């Protein structure tokens, strides 16, 4: 049986500010904005090319705003993606790679500035935060590992 990740709930402090960031600043597709009743609102947005969406709003999670770290978007060209985000007014750190050559540590103490020396798929990252402090990573993948 297939099981696909469909939605991730994002804790935000100000729904309209988050909607402005994700839809107007990042250019993600607005799928829904349902103000169900006072204290319960659902906003769903989807990154370009993604099958997984994010939902934020009111009454959706008990997590505190800005506490999600490590959300990841994959891109085929990290430098192009970083340039596009910067042109939209998003502050992006990177590109960087982890000193181990594997995924990446939490925080930034193990980051080595620059793209992977061989530009190896899965080896280069960049990062940005939304207005609440939720942290997103970009990972450059040019060739998928077998079975992916």
């Amino acid at each position: 049986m297939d099981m696909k990740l469909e939605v991730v709930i994002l804790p935000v402090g100000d729904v309209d500010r988050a909607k402005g960031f994700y839809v107007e600043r990042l250019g993600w597709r607005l799928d829904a904005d349902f103000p169900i009743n006072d204290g319960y609102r659902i906003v769903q947005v989807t990154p370009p090319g993604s099958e997984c969406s994010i939902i934020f709003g009111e009454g959706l999670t008990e997590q505190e705003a800005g506490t999600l770290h490590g959300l990841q978007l994959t891109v085929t060209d990290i430098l192009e993606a970083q340039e596009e985000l910067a042109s939209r007014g998003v502050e992006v750190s990177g590109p960087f790679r982890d000193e181990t050559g594997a995924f990446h540590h939490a925080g930034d103490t193990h980051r080595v500035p620059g793209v992977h020396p061989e530009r190896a798929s899965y080896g280069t990252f960049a990062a940005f935060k939304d207005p609440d402090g939720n942290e997103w990573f970009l990972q450059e993948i040019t060739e998928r590992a077998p079975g992916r």
Side-chain angles (χ1 to χ4, degrees):
M1 170 188 296
D2 285 348
M3 291 187 188
K4 297 180 180 183
L5 182 62
E6 185 78 17
V7 170
V8 173
I9 297 175
L10 190 69
V12 301
D14 182 314
V15 178
D16 290 319
R17 181 182 66 189
K19 181 180 172 184
F21 179 77
Y22 287 100
V23 175
E24 296 163 21
R25 173 89 39 99
L26 292 182
W28 292 10
R29 184 183 71 227
L30 176 63
D31 300 321
D33 186 347
F34 299 124
I36 306 298
N37 58 39
D38 193 31
Y40 189 54
R41 179 178 173 192
I42 305 163
V43 177
Q44 179 174 320
V45 298
T46 304
S50 180
E51 291 186 29
C52 184
S53 301
I54 64 168
I55 289 178
F56 51 86
E58 297 174 10
L60 300 178
T61 181
E62 293 183 358
Q63 283 184 277
E64 291 200 30
T67 57
L68 221 49
H69 299 274
L71 295 166
Q72 187 164 307
L73 302 165
T74 58
V75 297
T76 55
D77 187 318
I78 198 92
L79 299 175
E80 184 180 313
Q82 190 169 357
E83 185 178 299
E84 180 179 329
L85 288 172
S87 76
R88 294 175 169 271
V90 178
E91 185 178 327
V92 183
S93 63
F96 60 87
R97 62 189 187 281
D98 192 83
E99 67 188 8
T100 64
F103 190 61
H104 58 78
H105 281 83
D108 58 9
T109 57
H110 298 277
R111 293 181 182 176
V112 176
V115 298
H116 187 280
E118 291 86 42
R119 215 54 199 268
S121 200
Y122 299 95
T124 303
F125 301 88
F128 68 92
K129 293 181 179 180
D130 74 7
D132 285 293
N134 294 302
E135 187 176 31
W136 292 85
F137 287 90
L138 304 174
Q139 182 180 35
E140 184 175 76
I141 299 178
T142 55
E143 185 177 328
R144 292 260 176 206
R148 301 278 315 170

